[in-house]
């Protein structure tokens, strides 16, 4: 598994569950899910480090 596939994994799994092709036009759904996942993870790390 490449690094890019590992980074895109959460969004790809959500698209597969919804029955959407993550490589097609609905790839924005994958992008949105990945953005939310990594935003939450990043904020959690920042809050842990700052607190």
């Amino acid at each position: 598994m490449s690094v890019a596939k590992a980074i895109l994994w959460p969004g790809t799994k959500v698209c597969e569950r919804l029955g959407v092709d993550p490589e097609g036009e609905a790839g924005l759904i994958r992008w949105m899910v990945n953005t939310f996942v990594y935003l939450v993870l990043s904020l959690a790390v920042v809050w842990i480090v700052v607190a």
Side-chain angles (χ1 to χ4, degrees), residues 13-29:
K13 288 301 172 188
V14 169
C15 284
E16 288 174 359
R17 184 145 171 95
L18 294 174
V20 174
D21 177 25
E23 299 293 328
E25 290 292 321
L28 288 174
I29 295 171

Side-chain angles (χ1 to χ4, degrees), residues 7 9-11 14 30-44:
I7 291 172
W9 181 80
V14 169
R30 178 173 69 171
W31 171 81
M32 182 185 65
V33 170
N34 285 328
T35 300
F36 289 149
V37 167
Y38 292 118
L39 173 68
V40 170
L41 290 175
S42 299
L43 287 175

